[in-house]
PDB file of all heavy atoms in Angstrom:
ATOM      1  N   MET A   1       0.874  -1.211   0.000  1.00 46.00           N
ATOM      2  CA  MET A   1       0.000   0.000   0.000  1.00 46.00           C
ATOM      3  C   MET A   1       0.889   1.232   0.000  1.00 46.00           C
ATOM      4  O   MET A   1       1.784   1.342   0.810  1.00 46.00           O
ATOM      5  CB  MET A   1      -0.887  -0.005   1.247  1.00 46.00           C
ATOM      6  CG  MET A   1      -1.843   1.189   1.310  1.00 46.00           C
ATOM      7  SD  MET A   1      -2.842   1.195   2.824  1.00 46.00           S
ATOM      8  CE  MET A   1      -3.832  -0.261   2.555  1.00 46.00           C
ATOM      9  N   TYR A  79     -35.699  22.248   0.396  1.00 81.00           N
ATOM     10  CA  TYR A  79     -34.572  23.055   0.849  1.00 81.00           C
ATOM     11  C   TYR A  79     -34.564  24.428   0.203  1.00 81.00           C
ATOM     12  O   TYR A  79     -35.020  24.598  -0.938  1.00 81.00           O
ATOM     13  CB  TYR A  79     -33.240  22.366   0.527  1.00 81.00           C
ATOM     14  CG  TYR A  79     -33.095  21.039   1.230  1.00 81.00           C
ATOM     15  CD1 TYR A  79     -33.526  19.874   0.611  1.00 81.00           C
ATOM     16  CD2 TYR A  79     -32.538  20.984   2.496  1.00 81.00           C
ATOM     17  CE1 TYR A  79     -33.394  18.657   1.254  1.00 81.00           C
ATOM     18  CE2 TYR A  79     -32.415  19.759   3.140  1.00 81.00           C
ATOM     19  CZ  TYR A  79     -32.839  18.607   2.522  1.00 81.00           C
ATOM     20  OH  TYR A  79     -32.725  17.412   3.168  1.00 81.00           O
ATOM     21  N   ASN A 380       0.463  46.235  -5.228  1.00 87.00           N
ATOM     22  CA  ASN A 380      -0.226  47.115  -4.290  1.00 87.00           C
ATOM     23  C   ASN A 380      -1.231  47.991  -5.034  1.00 87.00           C
ATOM     24  O   ASN A 380      -0.992  48.419  -6.165  1.00 87.00           O
ATOM     25  CB  ASN A 380       0.782  48.031  -3.579  1.00 87.00           C
ATOM     26  CG  ASN A 380       1.513  47.316  -2.484  1.00 87.00           C
ATOM     27  OD1 ASN A 380       1.030  46.333  -1.939  1.00 87.00           O
ATOM     28  ND2 ASN A 380       2.701  47.794  -2.153  1.00 87.00           N
ATOM     29  N   CYS A 398     -10.957  55.946  -4.410  1.00 93.00           N
ATOM     30  CA  CYS A 398     -11.505  56.740  -3.310  1.00 93.00           C
ATOM     31  C   CYS A 398     -12.264  57.931  -3.897  1.00 93.00           C
ATOM     32  O   CYS A 398     -11.935  58.438  -4.981  1.00 93.00           O
ATOM     33  CB  CYS A 398     -10.393  57.233  -2.402  1.00 93.00           C
ATOM     34  SG  CYS A 398      -9.456  55.946  -1.588  1.00 93.00           S
ATOM     35  N   ILE A 743      75.715  45.817   8.675  1.00 80.00           N
ATOM     36  CA  ILE A 743      76.830  45.767   9.634  1.00 80.00           C
ATOM     37  C   ILE A 743      76.253  45.942  11.032  1.00 80.00           C
ATOM     38  O   ILE A 743      75.510  46.878  11.294  1.00 80.00           O
ATOM     39  CB  ILE A 743      77.855  46.871   9.337  1.00 80.00           C
ATOM     40  CG1 ILE A 743      78.383  46.722   7.925  1.00 80.00           C
ATOM     41  CG2 ILE A 743      78.994  46.836  10.348  1.00 80.00           C
ATOM     42  CD1 ILE A 743      79.313  47.845   7.490  1.00 80.00           C
ATOM     43  N   LYS A 747      80.709  46.703  13.074  1.00 73.00           N
ATOM     44  CA  LYS A 747      81.850  45.818  12.886  1.00 73.00           C
ATOM     45  C   LYS A 747      81.492  44.576  12.080  1.00 73.00           C
ATOM     46  O   LYS A 747      82.097  44.302  11.045  1.00 73.00           O
ATOM     47  CB  LYS A 747      82.412  45.411  14.254  1.00 73.00           C
ATOM     48  CG  LYS A 747      83.620  44.483  14.193  1.00 73.00           C
ATOM     49  CD  LYS A 747      84.151  44.202  15.576  1.00 73.00           C
ATOM     50  CE  LYS A 747      85.383  43.306  15.521  1.00 73.00           C
ATOM     51  NZ  LYS A 747      85.892  43.001  16.876  1.00 73.00           N
ATOM     52  N   THR A 856      64.256  35.475  12.730  1.00 90.00           N
ATOM     53  CA  THR A 856      65.469  35.214  13.506  1.00 90.00           C
ATOM     54  C   THR A 856      66.395  34.317  12.691  1.00 90.00           C
ATOM     55  O   THR A 856      66.044  33.176  12.359  1.00 90.00           O
ATOM     56  CB  THR A 856      65.124  34.536  14.841  1.00 90.00           C
ATOM     57  OG1 THR A 856      64.216  35.368  15.569  1.00 90.00           O
ATOM     58  CG2 THR A 856      66.385  34.319  15.668  1.00 90.00           C
ATOM     59  N   ASN A 922      84.636  27.860  19.373  1.00 80.00           N
ATOM     60  CA  ASN A 922      84.404  26.531  18.830  1.00 80.00           C
ATOM     61  C   ASN A 922      83.056  26.036  19.359  1.00 80.00           C
ATOM     62  O   ASN A 922      82.906  25.867  20.582  1.00 80.00           O
ATOM     63  CB  ASN A 922      85.532  25.584  19.237  1.00 80.00           C
ATOM     64  CG  ASN A 922      85.426  24.227  18.545  1.00 80.00           C
ATOM     65  OD1 ASN A 922      84.729  24.093  17.550  1.00 80.00           O
ATOM     66  ND2 ASN A 922      86.135  23.233  19.088  1.00 80.00           N
ATOM     67  N   CYS A 960      94.133  38.750  28.999  1.00 85.00           N
ATOM     68  CA  CYS A 960      93.983  39.012  30.431  1.00 85.00           C
ATOM     69  C   CYS A 960      93.118  37.931  31.063  1.00 85.00           C
ATOM     70  O   CYS A 960      92.113  37.472  30.480  1.00 85.00           O
ATOM     71  CB  CYS A 960      93.347  40.380  30.669  1.00 85.00           C
ATOM     72  SG  CYS A 960      94.374  41.753  30.128  1.00 85.00           S
ATOM     73  N   PHE A1013      98.272  53.038  41.553  1.00 27.00           N
ATOM     74  CA  PHE A1013      98.561  53.076  40.119  1.00 27.00           C
ATOM     75  C   PHE A1013     100.066  53.037  39.876  1.00 27.00           C
ATOM     76  O   PHE A1013     100.548  52.371  38.968  1.00 27.00           O
ATOM     77  CB  PHE A1013      97.956  54.345  39.523  1.00 27.00           C
ATOM     78  CG  PHE A1013      98.198  54.453  38.051  1.00 27.00           C
ATOM     79  CD1 PHE A1013      97.471  53.686  37.163  1.00 27.00           C
ATOM     80  CD2 PHE A1013      99.152  55.316  37.564  1.00 27.00           C
ATOM     81  CE1 PHE A1013      97.705  53.786  35.819  1.00 27.00           C
ATOM     82  CE2 PHE A1013      99.378  55.422  36.219  1.00 27.00           C
ATOM     83  CZ  PHE A1013      98.649  54.656  35.325  1.00 27.00           C
ATOM     84  N   GLU A1227      82.819  46.952  50.990  1.00 88.00           N
ATOM     85  CA  GLU A1227      82.513  46.294  52.258  1.00 88.00           C
ATOM     86  C   GLU A1227      81.015  46.403  52.509  1.00 88.00           C
ATOM     87  O   GLU A1227      80.303  47.184  51.880  1.00 88.00           O
ATOM     88  CB  GLU A1227      83.276  46.958  53.410  1.00 88.00           C
ATOM     89  CG  GLU A1227      82.899  48.410  53.619  1.00 88.00           C
ATOM     90  CD  GLU A1227      83.648  49.036  54.790  1.00 88.00           C
ATOM     91  OE1 GLU A1227      84.332  48.300  55.501  1.00 88.00           O
ATOM     92  OE2 GLU A1227      83.520  50.256  54.963  1.00 88.00           O
ATOM     93  N   LYS A1294      35.734  61.225  43.866  1.00 87.00           N
ATOM     94  CA  LYS A1294      34.919  62.150  43.105  1.00 87.00           C
ATOM     95  C   LYS A1294      35.302  62.014  41.637  1.00 87.00           C
ATOM     96  O   LYS A1294      36.453  61.837  41.296  1.00 87.00           O
ATOM     97  CB  LYS A1294      35.146  63.585  43.572  1.00 87.00           C
ATOM     98  CG  LYS A1294      34.669  63.856  44.985  1.00 87.00           C
ATOM     99  CD  LYS A1294      34.955  65.295  45.391  1.00 87.00           C
ATOM    100  CE  LYS A1294      34.499  65.557  46.824  1.00 87.00           C
ATOM    101  NZ  LYS A1294      34.761  66.954  47.235  1.00 87.00           N
ATOM    102  N   LEU A1457      47.775  73.720  37.316  1.00 92.00           N
ATOM    103  CA  LEU A1457      48.408  72.574  37.957  1.00 92.00           C
ATOM    104  C   LEU A1457      48.558  72.909  39.433  1.00 92.00           C
ATOM    105  O   LEU A1457      49.106  73.963  39.780  1.00 92.00           O
ATOM    106  CB  LEU A1457      49.771  72.293  37.314  1.00 92.00           C
ATOM    107  CG  LEU A1457      50.701  71.323  38.040  1.00 92.00           C
ATOM    108  CD1 LEU A1457      50.121  69.930  38.069  1.00 92.00           C
ATOM    109  CD2 LEU A1457      52.079  71.309  37.379  1.00 92.00           C
ATOM    110  N   PHE A1489      53.275  70.430  54.484  1.00 90.00           N
ATOM    111  CA  PHE A1489      52.906  70.570  53.081  1.00 90.00           C
ATOM    112  C   PHE A1489      52.301  71.947  52.815  1.00 90.00           C
ATOM    113  O   PHE A1489      51.519  72.467  53.606  1.00 90.00           O
ATOM    114  CB  PHE A1489      51.904  69.481  52.678  1.00 90.00           C
ATOM    115  CG  PHE A1489      52.524  68.133  52.489  1.00 90.00           C
ATOM    116  CD1 PHE A1489      52.518  67.204  53.510  1.00 90.00           C
ATOM    117  CD2 PHE A1489      53.124  67.801  51.284  1.00 90.00           C
ATOM    118  CE1 PHE A1489      53.088  65.953  53.339  1.00 90.00           C
ATOM    119  CE2 PHE A1489      53.696  66.554  51.099  1.00 90.00           C
ATOM    120  CZ  PHE A1489      53.684  65.630  52.129  1.00 90.00           C
ATOM    121  N   ASN A1761      46.705 109.691  22.085  1.00 81.00           N
ATOM    122  CA  ASN A1761      45.312 109.442  22.432  1.00 81.00           C
ATOM    123  C   ASN A1761      44.341 109.748  21.307  1.00 81.00           C
ATOM    124  O   ASN A1761      43.220 109.217  21.292  1.00 81.00           O
ATOM    125  CB  ASN A1761      44.916 110.271  23.657  1.00 81.00           C
ATOM    126  CG  ASN A1761      45.740 109.920  24.870  1.00 81.00           C
ATOM    127  OD1 ASN A1761      46.031 108.756  25.111  1.00 81.00           O
ATOM    128  ND2 ASN A1761      46.162 110.925  25.631  1.00 81.00           N
ATOM    129  N   ILE A1796      26.068 128.697 -17.683  1.00 74.00           N
ATOM    130  CA  ILE A1796      25.086 129.107 -16.676  1.00 74.00           C
ATOM    131  C   ILE A1796      25.517 128.542 -15.337  1.00 74.00           C
ATOM    132  O   ILE A1796      25.761 127.349 -15.210  1.00 74.00           O
ATOM    133  CB  ILE A1796      23.672 128.621 -17.035  1.00 74.00           C
ATOM    134  CG1 ILE A1796      23.243 129.210 -18.379  1.00 74.00           C
ATOM    135  CG2 ILE A1796      22.686 128.959 -15.948  1.00 74.00           C
ATOM    136  CD1 ILE A1796      21.914 128.700 -18.859  1.00 74.00           C
TER     137      ILE A1796
END
Side-chain angles (χ1 to χ4, degrees):
M1 181 182 294
Y79 298 91
N380 282 336
C398 298
I743 302 175
K747 180 177 182 181
T856 303
N922 187 17
C960 295
F1013 181 76
E1227 62 179 352
K1294 294 179 181 180
L1457 168 65
F1489 284 96
N1761 299 320
I1796 300 175

